[in-house]
Amino acid sequence: MTEVLPKPEPAPAALPAASRRRGLTVSTGLAGLSLDAMASVSYGPEAIVLVLAAAGSAGLGMTLPVTLAIVVLLAVLIASYRQVIAAFPDGGGAYAVAKKHLGRRTSLVAAASLIVDYVLNVAVSIAAGIAALTSAFPALLPYTVWICLAVPAGITALNLAGIRESARVFMAPTAVFVAGILAVIVAGLIRSTPQVTETGPAVATDARTIGVLLLLKAFSSGCAALTGVEAIANAVPSFEEPRVRRAQRAEVALGALLGIMLIGLATLIGKFSVHPIEGTTVLSQLTEAALGHGIGYYIVQFATVVLLALAANTSYGGLPTLTKILADDNCLPHRFAVRTPRQVYRYGVLALGISAAVLLIASRGNMNALVPLFAIGVFVGFTIAQVGMVVHWRVHRVGGWRLALNGFGALLTFVAAIVTTAMKFTAGAWLIVLVLPLLVLGMERVRRTYRKIDTSRGAGCVPARPQATGTVIVVPVSEVSELSREALSAALSLGHNVVAVHVCLPEENMTVFTKTWEAWHPDVRLEIIDAGDCSVGGPVARFVRDNFDGRRKVVLIAEVDPPTGWDRLLPSHRSDELERQLRRLPDTVVCHLRVQTA
């Protein structure tokens, strides 16, 4: 199929004022597309602490150096994705880069990694938010799965109203959360005497793991804080004009805020000697140590719960845009490229919500069962984007710091991908290693199917002149009635070669039907066939298939269209059975005549 290129967009000055206000600004872009990255500070540092605690106080003392390494990688990624935004303003992120510079197969790998990341983002964010909620209110623990399912249902419904409306809704929780975390950091740094918090036995799994291996495991666990960095680059078309500039500013703002929060919290972990405590999050311990157990503590905790639940909105902003691009490229069903009047890709939103719900049910809402799956897809996409940008600069004969930055970023993210896969493989990461190639194979099969469809319908060529062919119109009739009269009248208006077909069902008195038909005398040939298997669709389909060779068959099915509501459940729906059987036949057209009831 010939690729349809996007139409060039008018300059900002040519857009009406109302149109310019429709897209995302820097602030609404952060709220609508970066909630996952923001909220990751609630479980990223904790993931590091859980690993380093195996080595006791000495291991926990490495929290800040490990966090600094993650922030360095974050800075490289932010700088690189600013370049991706400028080079690919139509969105798509790693997929768009790979499609242009690395080939079809690599682009599908990038797309598969992004799809996995987006779905896991929803599941992990919601599971983490509900975990924080049930930690504060243990009475809700038995209802974890039901609460986990209610949250994506609500967010899905909100996003079906449009990403811009949902982004504005999420601005307030985002602002409260960021302000609360910054307040915790400032207050914690000011406190001269660390507050002693309740401690318990540290997590001691794999206590024999020491040295470099321990640091690599902590690094791979903490890299969960980098999820969501690419979402802005994937959804550039959602921003206001000038889209590139606004998206780049939002990307930089995200990197700055995330880096400050990660470093600040890591510093406080060392200052207050925080250890893992069963049933209490690391962020909760830091908040209590910095602000005490007063109203400030509860504000930060509540903001964390809300933001973690809403962090899934990052995926709802990025995945539907990505699936739209994939559908345009014939890698997904074309319905993923259809927008509603509210400019929402409905099928992408619904598919994301359903997939996340399945993961939440399978994991029973357990965040720790989902987090090991998270980082592999992220780093695969990061690496492909970096390598693609290296090729991009080489093609355009641009060297210097741009080429060096993306080359260095590609090396870092590739190493991180290998380390993360090795460290998390037995903890569930094997599932992602299996799912990624399956997604690629599925998209390739969809592409091949569309190629066959294009070949069969002769797309892209000028067909011969249309010519009339011999046509027979077959009308299934169940009784002599006004509905039969409407059906035969419609058939005779289409052509003169009309055949009525009646299926003789078991225990039916054919003598009565035949006499009634002869008395009516509609001047239409009648064929009576045996039901055989007590169905209607099969006998009619066999009759149409075995007769009328060389002619086009038109089967006209008349049915009563009842009023809306429960009345639609009353008909026998034999017309559906007929259509299922007939649509498998070649050179056969199925027409429905709906007769309205009074």
Side-chain angles (χ1 to χ4, degrees):
M1 175 179 285
T2 303
E3 182 179 351
V4 179
L5 297 177
K7 296 180 180 179
E9 298 182 6
L15 289 171
S19 297
R20 291 197 299 270
R21 288 195 298 267
R22 289 177 184 171
L24 297 172
T25 63
V26 174
S27 57
T28 56
L30 280 173
L33 298 171
S34 302
L35 287 174
D36 172 46
M38 294 288 188
S40 65
V41 301
S42 64
Y43 54 81
E46 181 162 356
I48 298 173
V49 170
L50 286 173
V51 174
L52 295 179
S57 299
L60 290 171
M62 297 299 295
T63 301
L64 182 57
V66 171
T67 302
L68 289 174
I70 294 173
V71 171
V72 169
L73 180 56
L74 170 66
V76 173
L77 290 173
I78 294 296
S80 176
Y81 272 104
R82 286 188 77 255
Q83 298 181 175
V84 173
I85 290 169
F88 297 88
D90 291 329
Y95 173 73
V97 177
K99 177 188 170 185
K100 183 174 182 180
H101 296 299
L102 301 178
R104 175 176 57 85
R105 182 68 60 84
T106 306
S107 69
L108 293 182
V109 174
S113 68
L114 288 171
I115 291 172
V116 169
D117 182 35
Y118 281 135
V119 174
L120 281 171
N121 169 39
V122 176
V124 171
S125 297
I126 292 174
I130 302 308
L133 178 65
T134 54
S135 296
F137 303 98
L140 298 176
L141 190 59
Y143 309 101
T144 296
V145 176
W146 291 108
I147 301 174
C148 284
L149 292 178
V151 174
I155 299 178
T156 299
L158 188 60
N159 274 271
L160 288 174
I163 185 174
R164 291 171 293 277
E165 289 79 2
S166 60
R168 293 189 179 96
V169 169
F170 297 149
M171 283 185 67
T174 304
V176 172
F177 176 80
V178 173
I181 296 298
L182 294 178
V184 168
I185 294 172
V186 172
L189 293 175
I190 292 175
R191 280 185 179 268
S192 57
T193 304
Q195 179 176 334
V196 179
T197 60
E198 181 184 356
T199 60
V203 176
T205 60
D206 201 11
R208 292 174 296 179
T209 304
I210 57 174
V212 175
L213 183 58
L214 179 69
L215 296 178
L216 289 176
K217 291 182 67 175
F219 175 82
S220 63
S221 297
C223 282
L226 300 179
T227 56
V229 171
E230 77 288 348
I232 293 174
N234 292 336
V236 177
S238 299
F239 281 84
E240 287 182 358
E241 292 288 356
R243 294 175 178 177
V244 169
R245 187 178 305 170
R246 292 183 187 275
Q248 286 179 328
R249 290 175 179 174
E251 191 77 57
V252 172
L254 167 63
L257 286 173
L258 184 56
I260 291 171
M261 289 190 289
L262 288 174
I263 294 174
L265 293 177
T267 303
L268 295 186
I269 288 172
K271 179 175 181 178
F272 294 118
S273 301
V274 171
H275 291 72
I277 298 177
E278 184 69 26
T280 304
T281 65
V282 168
L283 183 60
S284 174
Q285 296 181 59
L286 293 176
T287 304
E288 185 173 1
L291 303 178
H293 203 77
I295 187 172
Y297 168 83
Y298 288 104
I299 290 175
V300 173
Q301 286 301 102
F302 181 74
T304 301
V305 171
V306 172
L307 198 73
L308 277 166
L310 299 181
N313 190 66
T314 300
S315 292
Y316 283 90
L319 182 64
T321 302
L322 175 63
T323 54
K324 185 265 181 186
I325 296 173
L326 290 169
D328 286 341
D329 290 342
N330 292 335
C331 297
L332 286 179
H334 287 169
R335 64 184 61 201
F336 282 92
V338 177
R339 289 193 293 186
T340 67
R342 291 183 176 270
Q343 305 301 301
V344 174
Y345 299 111
R346 174 186 299 162
Y347 290 98
V349 171
L350 291 175
L352 176 59
I354 293 171
S355 301
V358 170
L359 279 177
L360 288 168
I361 293 174
S363 64
R364 302 189 63 82
N366 184 1
M367 178 189 68
N368 294 326
L370 297 171
V371 169
L373 311 178
F374 214 166
I376 295 178
V378 175
F379 281 114
V380 169
F382 286 166
T383 303
I384 291 175
Q386 306 297 313
V387 174
M389 287 304 296
V390 169
V391 177
H392 175 80
W393 297 128
R394 291 178 65 88
V395 168
H396 290 82
R397 301 183 183 279
V398 176
W401 67 270
R402 291 183 177 88
L403 182 62
L405 175 63
N406 288 126
F408 182 61
L411 178 62
L412 283 183
T413 53
F414 176 74
V415 172
I418 298 299
V419 170
T420 302
T421 303
M423 295 296 105
K424 301 295 182 182
F425 190 83
T426 57
W430 61 268
L431 181 61
I432 304 304
V433 177
L434 177 65
V435 167
L436 286 178
L438 289 178
L439 281 175
V440 172
L441 291 175
M443 288 187 284
E444 286 188 330
R445 181 172 181 178
V446 171
R447 187 196 290 269
R448 287 195 301 269
T449 302
Y450 275 122
R451 188 180 298 116
K452 291 179 182 178
I453 292 173
D454 290 344
T455 301
S456 63
R457 68 188 180 93
C461 63
V462 179
R465 295 172 62 87
Q467 296 180 354
T469 59
T471 303
V472 60
I473 300 131
V474 179
V475 183
V477 293
S478 60
E479 60 184 354
V480 175
S481 64
E482 186 65 23
L483 182 63
S484 300
R485 186 193 70 81
E486 291 278 359
L488 294 176
S489 298
L492 290 169
S493 67
L494 296 175
H496 299 291
N497 192 357
V498 178
V499 178
V501 176
H502 177 77
V503 179
C504 180
L505 296 172
E507 301 180 358
E508 180 181 0
N509 191 331
M510 286 307 303
T511 302
V512 174
F513 178 84
T514 303
K515 289 183 178 179
T516 306
W517 182 271
E518 292 175 350
W520 183 28
H521 194 62
D523 293 327
V524 172
R525 170 184 156 199
L526 174 67
E527 294 284 348
I528 298 177
I529 55 180
D530 186 20
D533 55 3
C534 298
S535 67
V536 172
V540 173
R542 286 191 292 271
F543 173 80
V544 173
R545 181 196 62 197
D546 297 338
N547 297 275
F548 320 116
D549 290 339
R551 283 181 285 178
R552 175 163 290 131
K553 284 80 69 176
V554 177
V555 182
L556 192 149
I557 303 173
E559 54 188 329
V560 175
D561 191 15
T564 58
W566 291 104
D567 293 339
R568 293 192 178 277
L569 300 176
L570 300 180
S572 64
H573 297 288
R574 288 196 181 274
S575 60
D576 297 335
E577 176 192 342
L578 272 168
E579 183 175 9
R580 282 196 301 271
Q581 297 289 337
L582 291 168
R583 66 185 179 186
R584 303 173 184 174
L585 302 180
D587 204 20
T588 302
V589 180
V590 181
C591 298
H592 286 271
L593 174 66
R594 300 187 182 276
V595 179
Q596 300 289 332
T597 58

